[in-house]
Amino acid sequence: MELLKPLHPYHAPILRLPFHGVPSSSQSESQVPLPVPMVGKVYVAVGKSLEKAVPLLQWALNHFRNTEIVIVHAYQPSLTIPTLLGKMPASQASPKVVSAFRRVEREQTMKLLDKYLSVCHAARVKASIIVTEADQVHKGIVDLVIKHNIQKLVIGAVPET
């Protein structure tokens, strides 16, 4: 798997792509063939923050033109349920309350993912969404990488200051 991870959406790293051609002995080093354009799908892992995910998507759209984008999201169910008296651990709430809250949570997640999808469609790029549910986001992403044989994955990170 090729892990593509921008340092920050505003300070995109220089991609060093492997050449798919080998210069012949008659070619000088300045005449090395250009890399073959990437084909296939690029998977972009997004979270719940529009402020972080939209620049990441834009980075991927700019660096992988004419490539299908697959938005990857690992939905992590909340450990607490809001009540009139404050937050309650989901393990202590009734199954009916937990189920209703999870349904609302999933609907909100899908609305958010639709916004990400609209960013791709506005850029006239074919895009789709893959969602998994996991107790830990990183395990959900790893499971998706394995299940879908993901070869190109873009994961964003906010620089530490």
Side-chain angles (χ1 to χ4, degrees):
M1 171 177 65
E2 181 179 356
L3 183 61
L4 306 169
K5 182 179 176 185
L7 298 175
H8 189 273
Y10 302 111
H11 301 96
I14 298 170
L15 294 176
R16 290 178 176 80
L17 303 174
F19 287 120
H20 295 285
V22 177
S24 68
S25 58
S26 64
Q27 289 179 315
S28 70
E29 285 195 32
S30 63
Q31 295 175 331
V32 174
L34 294 174
V36 175
M38 286 191 205
V39 292
K41 298 177 182 180
V42 172
Y43 295 76
V44 181
V46 296
K48 295 187 274 186
S49 171
L50 268 174
E51 294 77 25
K52 294 176 185 176
V54 170
L56 180 69
L57 271 173
Q58 290 169 337
W59 182 91
L61 292 168
N62 289 332
H63 285 81
F64 301 100
R65 298 186 187 280
N66 303 320
T67 303
E68 182 178 349
I69 298 290
V70 180
I71 298 167
V72 176
H73 180 75
Y75 162 71
Q76 183 180 23
S78 178
L79 298 176
T80 59
I81 306 294
T83 67
L84 295 174
L85 302 173
K87 293 187 177 186
M88 170 189 291
S91 59
Q92 295 177 2
S94 73
K96 185 177 178 180
V97 170
V98 172
S99 176
F101 181 71
R102 295 281 185 254
R103 186 171 44 257
V104 170
E105 242 182 357
R106 286 186 193 97
E107 287 170 5
Q108 290 172 342
T109 299
M110 290 313 295
K111 285 180 184 177
L112 181 66
L113 294 173
D114 283 341
K115 289 178 184 178
Y116 298 149
L117 203 55
S118 68
V119 169
C120 296
H121 290 161
R124 299 177 187 231
V125 172
K126 183 178 178 184
S128 57
I129 298 171
I130 297 176
V131 181
T132 190
E133 185 171 328
D135 291 333
Q136 296 178 347
V137 173
H138 63 280
K139 287 186 179 181
I141 298 293
V142 169
D143 289 345
L144 287 174
V145 166
I146 294 167
K147 181 178 180 182
H148 295 278
N149 191 28
I150 293 174
Q151 299 296 310
K152 297 178 181 94
L153 177 63
V154 177
I155 298 175
V158 176
E160 294 181 19
T161 55

